[in-house]
Amino acid sequence: MAKDLLILTTGGTFDKRYPEGQWVTEFTFPPGQESAVTEILRRARMAPEAFACEWLFAEDSTKITDAQRDIIANRCASATQRRIVVTHGTDTMTRRIDPETGKVAATPNTAATIAARKLDKTVVLTGAAQPAVLRDSDTDFNLGLAIGAALMAPPGVYIAMNGLVAPWDAVVKTVVGSFRKFEA
């Protein structure tokens, strides 16, 4: 079947671009709604007829609103594809450890919003610690991991980061920025 996999892009570090210079803190996203996903999959020689890719918006995950989380969840729900990858910023992708308390933070996250829909689909969220345009980026690895998980895992919402694939509610982002399994 054609286009069995849907890849939704939402910005995050995955697609950030920084101007050249030292100590740059400002960033932009690519013009023309062109995600790094397109180039990564071209280099990986993934058959174009095997997936559809849609740009939903480009936002740093710390600025994603509940309305934008609903856009992502609604698109997952309305998709004809049953296997979906979402590229997303890592700060609000799933639960995270609060650096001040060391406990799981009770902040809004996109994985929980999607999971609340109880879709009979496999949805995998992934992101990056370094933008795709940087040489030492983890985007290619994380995207490949997420695609593999989306194609093989049973229905549910998953996180694919740092070589880890697990249900969203069993994963946290740590204070140092890596992802790990977490049991309450």
Side-chain angles (χ1 to χ4, degrees):
M1 288 190 254
K3 312 277 187 197
D4 291 333
L5 173 69
L6 175 61
I7 302 171
L8 303 173
T9 66
T10 66
T13 299
F14 204 97
D15 280 317
K16 283 181 182 176
R17 294 188 179 171
Y18 291 92
E20 294 203 18
Q22 285 189 318
W23 313 110
V24 175
T25 58
E26 297 298 316
F27 61 86
T28 61
F29 288 103
Q33 300 184 351
E34 186 67 30
S35 173
V37 167
T38 306
E39 177 60 19
I40 292 167
L41 295 181
R42 185 196 63 72
R43 284 194 317 264
R45 295 181 178 92
M46 188 161 172
E49 64 275 5
F51 67 94
C53 187
E54 294 178 20
W55 174 288
L56 294 182
F57 52 82
E59 190 69 78
D60 183 275
S61 70
T62 61
K63 295 181 177 158
I64 286 182
T65 64
D66 288 340
Q68 288 172 311
R69 282 184 243 294
D70 284 336
I71 289 169
I72 298 167
N74 289 340
R75 185 61 189 104
C76 289
S78 69
T80 58
Q81 295 89 345
R82 302 183 54 73
R83 301 190 176 277
I84 302 167
V85 169
V86 179
T87 65
H88 194 286
T90 61
D91 285 323
T92 61
M93 176 189 303
T94 191
R95 302 174 311 157
R96 61 185 175 82
I97 301 292
D98 183 302
E100 293 179 20
T101 67
K103 298 184 188 231
V104 176
T107 55
N109 68 77
T110 301
T113 302
I114 296 168
R117 303 294 172 97
K118 298 185 183 336
L119 305 174
D120 187 29
K121 297 180 180 185
T122 303
V123 180
V124 182
L125 288 88
T126 194
Q130 296 288 324
V133 295
L134 297 181
R135 183 171 190 251
D136 293 332
S137 177
D138 53 342
T139 53
D140 292 28
F141 179 81
N142 290 337
L143 181 61
L145 181 67
I147 289 171
L151 295 175
M152 300 301 294
V157 179
Y158 301 87
I159 303 298
M161 288 290 300
N162 307 126
L164 170 70
V165 175
W168 77 273
D169 56 354
V171 174
V172 292
K173 182 178 180 184
T174 68
V175 175
V176 297
S178 62
F179 288 74
R180 67 174 172 85
K181 284 189 176 184
F182 179 81
E183 289 85 29

